[in-house]
Amino acid sequence: MKAVIFATRNHKEIVRDPLTLLFGIAFPVLMMVLFSVMQKNMPFALYEIETLTPGVIVFSFSFLTLFSGMLLGKDKSTSFLMRIFASPMTAADYVIGYVLPLLPIAVLQISVCILAALFLGLSLDLSVLFMGIVLIVISLLYIGLGLLLGTIFTDKQVGGIFAIFVTVTTWLSGTWFQLDMIGGAFQSIAQLLPFFHAADAARAVLSGHYEDVLLSLAIVVGYTALTFIIAILVFKGKMQE
Amino acid sequence: MTIEIKELTKRYKDHVAVDNLSLNIEKGEFFALLGQNAAGKTTTIKMLCGLVAPTSGDAFLEGASVVHNQIAVKNNINISPQETAVAPNLTVVENLRLMARLYGYSKIQAEQCAIAQMNIFGLLTRQHEKAKTLSGGYKRRLSVAMAMMSTPKILFLDEPTLGMDVRARRDLWSILRQLKGHVTIVLTTHYLEEVEVLADRVGIMHNGKLRALGTIQQLMSQTGKPTFEDVFLELTEGESR
Ligand SMILES: Nc1ncnc2c1ncn2[C@@H]1O[C@H](COP(=O)(O)OP(=O)(O)O)[C@@H](O)[C@H]1O
Ligand SMILES: [Mg+2]
């Protein structure tokens, strides 16, 4: 119950900054439109809406990292977190309280992007719904990374790190270009990290290759669990500093 | 005895932030903890609130140990941290309600308590303003009012008037005077005038150690100094880190 009360506060804190929220939804849609227009004038298939949509949604999740990281970072630097720590809340209450409010935002990002994709020619079938569900699971990775960043850095630092984070993770996810176009070390690194697998899992569900989803999703979930464990350990360390 | 501090020590790597502090504070007392920057005041408060684990020693708040029974301690105390620590995008009344709810109050209780505190702290006319739009003085009032929302037995105020203009500071003083006797207050400050106006008893820390303890009158006659400022300067002399 306390987790939900805290989550409600965190939700308000995020949605009452509508400009950043809008950016986190509108910008990915804009990218999707741009790239699918580009595709129309290209001789080969690179940004087909079926491959573009999952990638763009995963890209939009980087904003979840920004939102959760900034919120936690700010709560830390203003000592609001200290006040919360002084209350009889449990560690689970804090974590749930910071994760929960970002899920509806993830759902909003998924819905708006899918809607835009439908206008751009994506055909609506059951796999679109399945992709939505897989994407919600994937969003937890990005929320967790935000919490980790927010635990370690201040809100201002998180803002700066985000610029690098969003660039690197989308390169590595293979959304703007296919990884084997570059190959080599770049591709190997990308395959070791979860971002490519996140986009890959979403692409696999959408194309109906359900058997390919599991491995990719398992890697993402593994990284998510690891991220949360590290975030909580660092968090607990900071609490007792 | 409301607060019993027994040989409380906090060591950070190679230096001692709080050194073997022993001290008792009576129920209903207004106690001022003084000292230069880095004297160890905030660290002491953090240990008493269960926010920082002592390296050795213990403290008992309303009988509960900060080492062994943090939840019981946390239910009895509240803190207004050194920074303002308000939720910026929540309104004044939302900030207050949030605190009450996090301490397990029902919605109705939270509402009643919020109105009562807004009355005391002169916040009624600003109840629907977002906390981030308040002036520094009003943010401080809100911060202290938030700490009062759990009806704590012990209230910790860490430099509550830092950076406030003269009028705002005077206003807060008169509010704090209203609380006097109803709740045990431990206050840290750099403003000696504030101490003379509010405090029943004073402890002066220097380099983590308690240098002096008593009423202002007692300290003045002990040191033979004509003003409290002279007393303070005398007792905080010597090399500081
Ligand atoms: N987390 C920490 N790690 C290392 N040193 C710390 C930490 N917190 C406080 N200190 C040190 O402990 C000393 C006391 O700090 P503090 O209690 O904040 O003093 P005050 O509140 O009286 O200004 C300072 O020298 C400070 O640098
Ligand atoms: Mg301090």
Side-chain angles (χ1 to χ4, degrees):
Chain A
M1 196 56 209
K2 283 178 187 170
V4 175
I5 291 162
F6 188 48
T8 310
R9 175 266 167 178
N10 293 334
H11 181 73
K12 284 183 188 158
E13 206 67 62
I14 295 168
V15 298
R16 287 184 185 177
D17 251 333
L19 218 60
T20 38
L21 191 62
L22 191 73
F23 194 68
I25 295 169
F27 189 60
V29 169
L30 186 73
M31 296 297 270
M32 189 151 72
V33 173
L34 280 178
F35 276 87
S36 59
V37 169
M38 251 161 72
Q39 176 63 55
K40 292 213 167 57
N41 303 315
M42 276 192 332
F44 50 91
L46 190 54
Y47 301 121
E48 296 288 3
I49 195 70
E50 291 77 21
T51 51
L52 188 61
T53 310
V56 166
I57 297 178
V58 169
F59 161 71
S60 75
F61 287 165
S62 347
F63 288 91
L64 297 176
T65 306
L66 176 70
F67 297 152
S68 58
M70 292 272 272
L71 179 63
L72 183 53
K74 198 167 198 169
D75 283 351
K76 216 175 48 187
S77 57
T78 62
S79 283
F80 184 79
L81 204 56
M82 189 201 227
R83 152 165 269 149
I84 299 296
F85 282 166
S87 79
M89 266 172 59
T90 64
D93 289 334
Y94 305 122
V95 178
I96 298 170
Y98 277 118
V99 172
L100 223 49
L102 287 147
L103 288 175
I105 296 171
V107 171
L108 194 67
Q109 289 178 311
I110 295 168
S111 314
V112 172
C113 284
I114 287 179
L115 205 65
L118 291 177
F119 277 105
L120 294 167
L122 185 73
S123 52
L124 183 62
D125 54 38
L126 216 53
S127 60
V128 173
L129 180 72
F130 292 151
M131 177 182 71
I133 295 166
V134 166
L135 281 166
I136 291 174
V137 176
I138 293 171
S139 73
L140 287 171
L141 170 69
Y142 288 81
I143 298 172
L145 286 170
L147 295 186
L148 184 59
L149 291 182
T151 305
I152 301 171
F153 301 103
T154 66
D155 51 328
K156 290 200 181 76
Q157 291 167 326
V158 170
I161 291 167
F162 168 72
I164 303 167
F165 177 84
V166 69
T167 313
V168 171
T169 57
T170 38
W171 277 356
L172 292 171
S173 75
T175 299
W176 306 143
F177 47 81
Q178 277 158 9
L179 292 180
D180 42 22
M181 287 165 69
I182 299 184
F186 181 79
Q187 189 171 8
S188 318
I189 292 170
Q191 259 152 4
L192 281 178
L193 293 170
F195 311 108
F196 167 71
H197 299 283
D200 203 45
R203 280 191 289 253
V205 218
L206 187 64
S207 60
H209 295 101
Y210 301 129
E211 68 284 356
D212 295 343
V213 178
L214 274 184
L215 180 63
S216 298
L217 199 58
I219 294 171
V220 174
V221 170
Y223 265 102
T224 307
L226 191 69
T227 306
F228 272 93
I229 291 169
I230 297 172
I232 290 167
L233 288 179
V234 179
F235 201 68
K236 284 202 161 163
K238 294 242 167 184
M239 256 176 97
Q240 283 297 313
E241 218 166 53
Chain B
M1 213 74 71
T2 286
I3 305 177
E4 281 181 81
I5 304 173
K6 293 194 167 146
E7 295 168 5
L8 201 62
T9 299
K10 181 68 191 183
R11 198 170 282 120
Y12 285 113
K13 287 213 179 85
D14 49 357
H15 87 261
V16 190
V18 176
D19 193 358
N20 223 358
L21 181 73
S22 293
L23 165 70
N24 293 330
I25 297 171
E26 298 285 342
K27 195 171 180 61
E29 198 173 351
F30 198 123
F31 188 85
L33 198 54
L34 301 184
Q36 292 168 340
N37 276 328
K41 307 178 294 291
T42 299
T43 308
T44 302
I45 287 188
K46 283 185 176 173
M47 285 193 282
L48 295 180
C49 293
L51 293 169
V52 161
T55 312
S56 63
D58 202 347
F60 299 87
L61 286 79
E62 297 280 326
S65 154
V66 296
V67 177
H68 300 108
N69 201 353
Q70 294 186 358
I71 292 293
V73 169
K74 288 178 174 182
N75 273 312
N76 281 327
I77 58 124
N78 215 327
I79 178 173
S80 171
Q82 195 169 326
E83 292 79 22
T84 28
V86 297
N89 277 335
L90 297 197
T91 65
V92 167
V93 66
E94 282 173 335
N95 264 291
L96 294 171
R97 281 189 209 130
L98 170 71
M99 290 314 291
R101 300 282 280 138
L102 289 182
Y103 281 81
Y105 286 51
S106 73
K107 274 190 176 164
I108 297 169
Q109 287 171 320
E111 192 62 40
Q112 288 169 344
C113 199
I115 291 169
Q117 294 307 329
M118 286 190 294
N119 247 321
I120 296 172
F121 285 85
L123 289 166
L124 269 173
T125 54
R126 290 167 198 263
Q127 59 176 305
H128 297 302
E129 289 178 26
K130 277 190 190 171
K132 67 176 173 194
T133 64
L134 298 175
S135 69
Y138 274 93
K139 270 196 193 129
R140 283 283 169 188
R141 286 196 202 185
L142 175 59
S143 179
V144 180
M146 282 166 78
M148 286 299 291
M149 284 300 289
S150 64
T151 44
K153 296 199 171 91
I154 303 165
L155 176 65
F156 293 95
L157 303 174
D158 200 359
E159 301 195 24
T161 55
L162 188 72
M164 276 164 73
D165 62 38
V166 179
R167 186 176 310 279
R169 186 175 303 149
R170 294 272 162 128
D171 288 345
L172 190 65
W173 289 356
S174 71
I175 292 166
L176 293 180
R177 249 195 305 245
Q178 290 180 59
L179 302 181
K180 212 172 150 164
H182 299 291
V183 52
T184 308
I185 297 178
V186 178
L187 166 116
T188 78
T189 182
H190 286 294
Y191 302 105
L192 300 178
E193 198 192 345
E194 192 162 303
V195 179
E196 291 176 289
V197 172
L198 294 168
D200 298 318
R201 216 154 50 101
V202 180
I204 297 179
M205 284 182 84
H206 190 60
N207 286 353
K209 290 194 183 68
L210 189 67
R211 274 277 180 96
L213 180 67
T215 63
I216 291 172
Q217 285 309 321
Q218 283 167 348
L219 297 186
M220 276 167 40
S221 58
Q222 268 169 32
T223 51
K225 298 283 173 189
T227 68
F228 186 48
E229 191 166 292
D230 291 323
V231 173
F232 181 81
L233 290 173
E234 166 90 8
L235 289 170
T236 54
E237 216 155 44
E239 89 299 358
S240 76
R241 284 161 307 202

